[in-house]
Amino acid sequence: MPQAEASPSRFQLSAIELVRLNDTALSALKDMDSPVHANGVALLHGVLPSDPPAQLPKTLQECADVDPHHGQGAQRAWVARQLPSGCRIADTEREAVHCTLVTAQSGLVRLHPGRAQRNWDSLDQWLWHLHHATLYPPGPEAAEQLHAMRLPLPTKVRGVLGIRGLTLVGTEQDPGVGVPRNYYDGTSYHLATLYADALALARLQQTVLDAFGSEVARIGEHEPRRRKVAQMERDLLVFRRSYWAAGFGRQGTVDAMVRAWQQSAGLPQSLQSLVSDLGELSRQVQSAETETTNAILGLLAAVGLPLTTGLAIWQGLPQAGSSSLFRILGATGVVTVGLVTLFPGLRRLFVDLFRRKWRGGRR
């Protein structure tokens, strides 16, 4: 690719990938009346600038920052210019999920010699500061949180994965570029391929779940319609059997990364909440339809029975003329009003039926 425009944060871009949802998922999102914030993931591959080691966490923060209110939005504007034509950054995005690998030709320097990290080794320091992209010292609970994010990786690499992304740190000296059998070359390759794809898949899952959540919330604001709820249930089933069930074959480490990011972002809980909410909406639809049916049957009973009886009496009269018919119909009306007045359940069915029809007509 041609030489890329320099980033305000001096990030050296080497390649861009755009991963979009498939046609089935895009069609489901298009049918939603709620606005969809995103429909794909952009992967920007590159190298951090050659800053002093102690400044790299801060540099990473600047590279991942796409908040339009920071630095006059220069970094966000730069990222937007690198995207293919017709693509833009979602309005909800403020910080890019980052995947980094840091190695050293000599030992890694300690980032914080202070009391907060006195018992931390340098590798854990680098993992914590790079993952959070900050130079601020960690709190007392940081060591436990870091341990919970650990990934099972080769012995020469230590890594953590959380909501902010994937952070890898070399545990031994880096032989350097061009050295035969450089054991970090494989990690770099996996970071740019399988590992990045794992996080892209997890982000696509989050995109779909966010869109479903917004649509369910919108539907819940009004009386749900059977057709819309049924369509949502079908679309969610397709998602669960496609994107949510997707994996990387026998790549156990990569599948573990997807599951770890899902947990850190709360995606399993979001999915379960959607299933429960759609089940409740479906129950409400069935309840409303049952009430409508009962109201219609009550209407037929309240009107049809007196009318049928009145007509039978009219036909049996010696002189079944028009005047007697009107009297019979009047008496039938009085009986119908009396039934509706005397029986509260029947009156409630009538009121609910016409109220529901009025609301449906107004929408």
Side-chain angles (χ1 to χ4, degrees):
M1 61 179 294
Q3 185 67 29
E5 174 189 357
S7 160
S9 60
R10 295 169 293 117
F11 177 73
Q12 301 174 31
L13 181 67
S14 60
I16 295 179
E17 291 183 82
L18 185 64
V19 184
R20 299 188 65 189
L21 295 167
N22 62 18
D23 292 341
T24 302
L26 289 174
S27 177
L29 266 60
K30 185 178 180 180
D31 291 339
M32 295 181 184
D33 294 326
S34 300
V36 177
H37 297 296
N39 59 14
V41 175
L43 304 176
L44 277 69
H45 302 274
V47 180
L48 293 173
S50 301
D51 286 344
Q55 294 297 320
L56 278 180
K58 179 64 175 177
T59 302
L60 176 60
Q61 181 188 60
E62 295 172 353
C63 293
D65 188 358
V66 289
D67 193 321
H69 304 293
H70 292 173
Q72 290 76 47
Q75 182 71 7
R76 183 185 183 93
W78 176 84
V79 173
R81 288 194 295 271
Q82 312 312 308
L83 298 178
S85 177
C87 299
R88 64 179 180 86
I89 305 174
D91 296 335
T92 54
E93 291 300 312
R94 295 294 181 267
E95 183 178 4
V97 174
H98 48 80
C99 305
T100 56
L101 168 63
V102 173
T103 63
Q105 294 184 346
S106 58
L108 290 168
V109 299
R110 290 186 63 83
L111 295 176
H112 264 285
R115 178 179 301 178
Q117 291 179 293
R118 179 177 298 173
N119 297 325
W120 288 43
D121 63 32
S122 59
L123 290 173
D124 282 348
Q125 278 192 329
W126 276 90
L127 286 173
W128 193 90
H129 286 285
L130 283 175
H131 180 75
H132 293 279
T134 182
L135 291 174
Y136 288 107
E141 73 286 349
E144 183 178 350
Q145 294 176 352
L146 189 69
H147 179 75
M149 294 189 294
R150 286 280 179 82
L151 288 171
L153 294 169
T155 56
K156 298 182 186 300
V157 176
R158 192 180 297 181
V160 295
L161 190 147
I163 188 65
R164 291 178 173 271
L166 172 65
T167 304
L168 306 175
V169 175
T171 61
E172 297 186 9
Q173 295 183 359
D174 190 339
V177 179
V179 177
R181 301 179 64 83
N182 183 344
Y183 38 77
Y184 291 128
D185 285 347
T187 303
S188 299
Y189 174 76
H190 288 149
L191 180 65
T193 54
L194 288 172
Y195 299 169
D197 290 345
L199 265 69
L201 172 62
R203 288 286 281 167
L204 289 176
Q205 293 171 345
Q206 184 184 37
T207 296
V208 177
L209 288 177
D210 287 346
F212 270 98
S214 298
E215 181 67 359
V216 169
R218 188 196 65 81
I219 293 176
E221 293 176 353
H222 309 283
E223 185 172 341
R225 300 292 186 89
R226 168 179 286 276
R227 181 177 179 182
K228 188 63 176 179
V229 174
Q231 182 63 48
M232 288 284 292
E233 289 178 327
R234 287 193 294 270
D235 291 340
L236 187 59
L237 176 61
V238 172
F239 166 77
R240 295 175 68 180
R241 296 303 179 187
S242 56
Y243 279 100
W244 190 255
F248 291 82
R250 298 182 181 275
Q251 298 288 341
T253 299
V254 187
D255 289 331
M257 289 180 178
V258 176
R259 291 192 296 270
W261 204 90
Q262 289 173 344
Q263 291 294 336
S264 66
L267 299 191
Q269 294 84 345
S270 297
L271 178 59
Q272 185 57 45
S273 178
L274 279 173
V275 173
S276 300
D277 291 345
L278 281 174
E280 175 61 23
L281 288 176
S282 181
R283 187 195 65 77
Q284 291 180 13
V285 169
Q286 294 176 357
S287 177
E289 290 182 347
T290 300
E291 291 179 358
T292 300
T293 301
N294 292 338
I296 293 174
L297 293 176
L299 177 65
L300 292 176
V303 177
L305 182 59
L307 180 61
T308 302
T309 303
L311 291 177
I313 295 174
W314 174 71
Q315 289 180 348
L317 294 175
Q319 294 180 347
S322 58
S323 59
S324 60
L325 175 62
F326 289 128
R327 287 195 297 270
I328 291 294
L329 292 177
T332 300
V334 172
V335 172
T336 301
V337 173
L339 289 175
V340 174
T341 304
L342 293 175
F343 293 95
L346 186 60
R347 184 169 64 251
R348 185 172 60 254
L349 289 176
F350 271 91
V351 173
D352 290 345
L353 175 63
F354 288 110
R355 182 182 298 166
R356 191 174 298 111
K357 293 299 183 182
W358 168 253
R359 288 177 179 174
R362 292 184 66 182
R363 287 202 301 269

